């Protein structure tokens, strides 16, 4: 265990958007709650020229904009800003890392690095760190996506990182794993007796995972157009949600046990067929009453990049044989929503049918955001004397996490992930074999797109995606939870 008392956190991309919106507010929250050692220095680095004071000013502005009001405390803010330092660095030039090392001083008792950078700078950055003596055994490195854009490039990056750091020092970030409700999925499954006996092909008809967004390109034109929904969302966040939903119970919560179970699921994913996938791209439409332009207008040029994808996935193992996992994600959809829906099988025999009672299968809805709840839809009899027949209706057994834990502060994912990185806790980070299994499955899908010339189907902004996405479930006699 590395002592944090004389250690430092080094933030690459310190003046970027992620830093402004997420990293600095998260670090401030950890500081305010006294969860990080008072001696931990936070050193920001980026290409832009700043001195310490200018970076502190940048951070002050970011916090003014992105901290919730009840977090703002002038005294704490001043002591937080005191921790911050800055070193200009052109990461494409290994020579600059000497000055960075000088600024950091003695890091022998612990250095945590948060690296978020353009893919082409990964390798020079790792090389620069190594040459400047910033890759010793007391260094941990957190890697923010994108870590490559296919298996080959991801392998290259992973090899470059592995040449400087051992796997125990590498923390691959998938910010979905830092979300409270995602961790609650494990609590739901493994801290309760009632779900697990049914959590298999015997009890479950299918699973749906939706991550829908109302936002469009958000000023990330170049990146998004080169990436698309499949690589931006499915390759990482959605497959991690799938793995946590489908994995076997781990023996305990340690990083190896959990990641061993997840990787088995990811390796059991069956290569998808052309008829099991849909690509889409938004056109002009209206999102929540506001008209918005289409993707290609937003981009300013013609493009076939997908902003929506729906896939029928299969996990080929004993537990999940015959149980499809429908995945869908997209930009400019009807609402912002991340959820996992588990639909159970119908009861084997409907004893109410002769009296007119119709049954619907139970559904467990795990809503990750924007609300946080777990809702079990169960059948109940409508009150009455039933002379005209029995009316059965679906009612919700509701567990609102926001209400049940009203006093607990909701923390953003990066608060937990940064703290885990500083403390060296790897459970919520993605291991190399997981990332590679994810890419393998995604690359095979993209190959089908290329081989069949599959085009992105248009959908109106503000809808639930192209009709073909809806048909993906409907033709199996199932429906999305809209
Ligand atoms: C990021 C994607 O990883 O996740 C973005 O690059 C997406 O395109 C974001 O908007 C969604 O994250 P969240 O936490 O808002 O659901």
């Amino acid at each position: 265990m590395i002592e944090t008392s004389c250690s430092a956190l080094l933030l690459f991309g310190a003046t970027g958007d992620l830093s402004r919106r997420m990293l600095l507010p998260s670090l401030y929250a950890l500081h305010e709650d006294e969860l990080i050692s008072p001696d931990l220095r936070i050193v920001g680095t980026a290409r832009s020229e700043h001195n310490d004071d200018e970076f502190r000013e940048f951070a002050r502005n970011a916090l003014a904009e992105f901290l919730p009001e009840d977090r703002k405390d002038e005294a704490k803010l001043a002591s937080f800003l005191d921790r911050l330092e800055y070193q200009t660095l052109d990461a494409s030039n290994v020579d600059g890392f000497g000055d960075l090392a000088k600024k950091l001083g003695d890091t022998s008792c612990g250095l945590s690095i948060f690296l978020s950078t353009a893919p082409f700078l990964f390798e020079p950055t790792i090389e620069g760190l190594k040459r400047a003596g910033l890759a010793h055994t007391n260094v941990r490195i957190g890697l923010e996506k994108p870590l490559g854009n296919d298996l080959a490039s991801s392998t290259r990056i992973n090899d470059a990182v592995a040449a400087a750091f051992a796997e125990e020092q590498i923390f691959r970030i998938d910010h979905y794993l830092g979300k409270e409700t995602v961790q609650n999925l494990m609590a739901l499954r493994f801290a309760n007796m009632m779900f697990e006996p049914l959590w298999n092909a015997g009890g479950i008809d299918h699973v749906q995972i939706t991550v829908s967004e109302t936002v469009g390109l958000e000023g990330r034109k170049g990146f998004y157009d080169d990436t698309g929904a499949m690589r931006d969302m499915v390759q990482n966040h959605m497959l991690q949600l799938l793995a946590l939903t489908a994995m076997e119970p781990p023996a305990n919560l340690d990083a190896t046990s959990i990641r061993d179970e997840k990787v088995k699921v990811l390796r059991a994913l069956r290569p998808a067929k052309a008829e099991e996938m849909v690509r889409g791209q938004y056109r002009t439409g209206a999102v929540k009453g506001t008209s918005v332009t289409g993707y290609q207008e937003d981009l300013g040029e013609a493009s076939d990049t997908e902003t929506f994808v729906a896939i029928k996935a299969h996990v080929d193992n004993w537990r999940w044989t015959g149980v499809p996992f429908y995945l869908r994600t997209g930009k400019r959809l009807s609402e912002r929503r991340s959820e996992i829906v588990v639909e159970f099988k119908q009861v084997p025999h409907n004893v109410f049918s002769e009296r007119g009672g119709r049954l619907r299968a139970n559904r467990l809805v795990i809503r990750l955001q924007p609300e946080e709840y777990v809702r079990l839809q169960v059948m109940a009899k409508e009150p009455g004397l039933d002379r005209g027949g029995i009316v059965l209706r679906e009612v919700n057994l509701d567990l609102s996490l926001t209400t049940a834990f009203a006093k607990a502060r909701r923390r953003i994912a990066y608060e937990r992930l940064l703290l885990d990185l500083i403390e060296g806790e790897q459970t919520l980070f993605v291991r190399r074999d997981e990332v590679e299994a994810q890419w393998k499955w995604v690359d095979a899908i993209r190959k089908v797109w290329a081989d069949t010339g599959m085009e992105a189907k248009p959908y109106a902004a503000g809808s639930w995606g192209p009709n073909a996405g809806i048909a993906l479930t409907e033709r199996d006699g199932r429906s999305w939870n809209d």
Side-chain angles (χ1 to χ4, degrees):
M1 181 84 184
I2 296 172
E3 290 265 329
T4 50
S5 58
C6 60
S7 56
L9 173 68
L10 172 61
L11 284 186
F12 278 85
T15 54
D17 211 44
L18 183 69
S19 171
R20 248 164 33 94
R21 286 171 187 274
M22 296 288 171
L23 306 181
L24 289 167
S26 298
L27 289 168
Y28 172 80
L30 297 174
H31 167 86
E32 191 186 5
D33 295 342
E34 297 175 8
L35 291 165
I36 45 180
S37 156
D39 301 334
L40 180 87
R41 296 161 62 208
I42 301 176
V43 180
T45 180
R47 205 190 171 105
S48 44
E49 297 268 352
H50 294 294
N51 58 30
D52 292 347
D53 284 339
E54 285 162 354
F55 180 54
R56 288 181 186 137
E57 195 49 30
F58 168 86
R60 177 187 285 283
N61 291 335
L63 295 174
E65 192 174 348
F66 294 108
L67 272 187
E69 283 310 311
D70 68 339
R71 273 282 189 201
K72 291 179 180 164
D73 171 324
E74 269 309 314
K76 294 266 186 181
L77 192 60
S79 53
F80 175 70
L81 294 177
D82 274 350
R83 287 181 187 264
L84 303 185
E85 296 166 54
Y86 186 83
Q87 176 67 42
T88 303
L89 173 75
D90 172 2
S92 64
N93 177 1
V94 288
D95 297 339
F97 285 78
D99 288 340
L100 181 64
K102 215 181 291 159
K103 178 91 180 181
L104 284 162
D106 179 11
T107 58
S108 60
C109 62
L111 173 67
S112 308
I113 302 175
F114 183 100
L115 181 55
S116 84
T117 184
F120 75 95
L121 285 176
F122 253 113
E123 291 169 63
T125 303
I126 300 293
E127 185 57 31
L129 289 169
K130 205 160 87 178
R131 287 215 215 156
L134 295 174
H136 56 77
T137 49
N138 264 356
V139 179
R140 303 187 180 107
I141 186 159
L143 304 175
E144 181 57 88
K145 78 177 190 106
L147 286 181
N149 52 18
D150 56 14
L151 179 59
S153 53
S154 139
T155 305
R156 214 174 42 243
I157 290 176
N158 277 320
D159 283 346
V161 181
F165 299 95
E167 183 65 27
E168 295 69 46
Q169 295 174 275
I170 305 170
F171 293 66
R172 292 180 198 79
I173 295 161
D174 182 317
H175 80 279
Y176 264 58
L177 295 182
K179 290 184 192 273
E180 195 63 55
T181 339
V182 174
Q183 293 157 57
N184 230 313
L185 181 58
M186 282 212 277
L188 185 80
R189 287 192 59 196
F190 306 131
N192 296 293
M193 188 58 211
M194 59 200 287
F195 298 113
E196 208 46 32
L198 286 178
W199 209 263
N200 53 50
I204 291 179
D205 178 74
H206 73 276
V207 176
Q208 305 177 7
I209 303 179
T210 295
V211 178
S212 60
E213 298 184 279
T214 53
V215 293
L217 265 178
E218 289 195 297
R220 300 155 84 211
K221 287 184 187 179
F223 164 76
Y224 195 85
D225 199 55
D226 287 345
T227 307
M230 185 72 189
R231 295 190 281 192
D232 188 38
M233 298 297 283
V234 178
Q235 187 274 338
N236 37 58
H237 312 321
M238 300 199 68
L239 288 184
Q240 283 291 319
L241 293 181
L242 183 151
L244 287 167
T245 307
M247 72 183 186
E248 296 301 312
N252 54 49
L253 284 188
D254 77 36
T256 304
S257 307
I258 292 189
R259 299 189 298 179
D260 282 352
E261 296 309 334
K262 282 195 294 168
V263 79
K264 283 188 220 161
V265 172
L266 296 166
R267 287 194 184 129
L269 281 167
R270 183 193 306 169
K273 299 199 194 95
E275 60 273 22
E276 294 171 327
M277 43 183 116
V278 177
R279 302 177 72 223
Q281 188 190 76
Y282 66 84
R283 298 287 190 266
T284 307
V287 178
K288 303 231 166 279
T290 307
S291 43
V292 294
T293 47
Y295 177 75
Q296 300 185 45
E297 289 96 276
D298 290 351
L299 187 67
E301 61 189 51
S303 165
D304 183 52
T305 296
E306 80 285 355
T307 61
F308 172 94
V309 56
I311 302 165
K312 181 177 172 183
H314 305 269
V315 179
D316 279 338
N317 63 17
W318 275 43
R319 186 186 278 257
W320 296 113
T321 290
V323 181
F325 285 72
Y326 298 97
L327 314 179
R328 75 177 161 168
T329 183
K331 301 267 185 209
R332 290 274 191 245
L333 293 180
S334 169
E335 60 179 76
R336 174 168 184 254
R337 179 201 290 187
S338 299
E339 70 179 13
I340 301 167
V341 176
V342 176
E343 183 162 316
F344 293 91
K345 292 223 148 111
Q346 294 279 5
V347 295
H349 170 65
N350 178 2
V351 300
F352 303 95
S353 64
E354 284 177 7
R355 303 278 308 277
R358 283 208 299 263
L359 300 183
R360 278 194 60 175
N362 301 132
R363 272 185 173 184
L364 180 71
V365 181
I366 303 159
R367 175 68 59 95
L368 310 176
Q369 60 188 28
E371 311 89 348
E372 297 183 351
Y373 61 72
V374 178
R375 182 173 283 171
L376 182 62
Q377 299 174 346
V378 295
M379 297 308 294
K381 189 182 90 63
E382 210 172 89
L385 300 178
D386 313 320
R387 298 301 101 174
I390 294 185
V391 181
L392 295 164
R393 262 202 315 127
E394 223 170 22
V395 290
N396 291 327
L397 273 180
D398 245 323
L399 171 60
S400 160
L401 301 169
T402 323
T403 316
F405 301 107
K407 291 219 179 82
R409 187 180 267 288
R410 319 313 290 169
R411 292 187 180 274
I412 53 178
Y414 283 99
E415 288 180 45
R416 171 183 292 270
L417 296 178
L418 283 164
L419 189 59
D420 283 355
L421 170 67
I422 293 165
E423 293 185 344
E425 169 53 58
Q426 276 191 311
T427 307
L428 297 179
F429 295 85
V430 186
R431 207 166 57 189
R432 176 171 184 164
D433 51 2
E434 294 178 80
V435 178
E436 293 185 348
Q438 290 170 183
W439 275 123
K440 201 168 160 207
W441 190 70
V442 164
D443 281 1
I445 291 179
R446 297 188 69 253
K447 180 164 186 312
V448 172
W449 294 354
D451 291 350
T452 60
M454 191 181 292
E455 287 176 3
K457 295 189 164 56
Y459 62 95
S463 69
W464 275 111
N467 289 339
I470 297 166
L472 194 68
T473 52
E474 300 285 330
R475 68 167 180 253
D476 293 343
R478 300 176 172 122
S479 54
W480 292 105
N481 187 45
D482 290 342

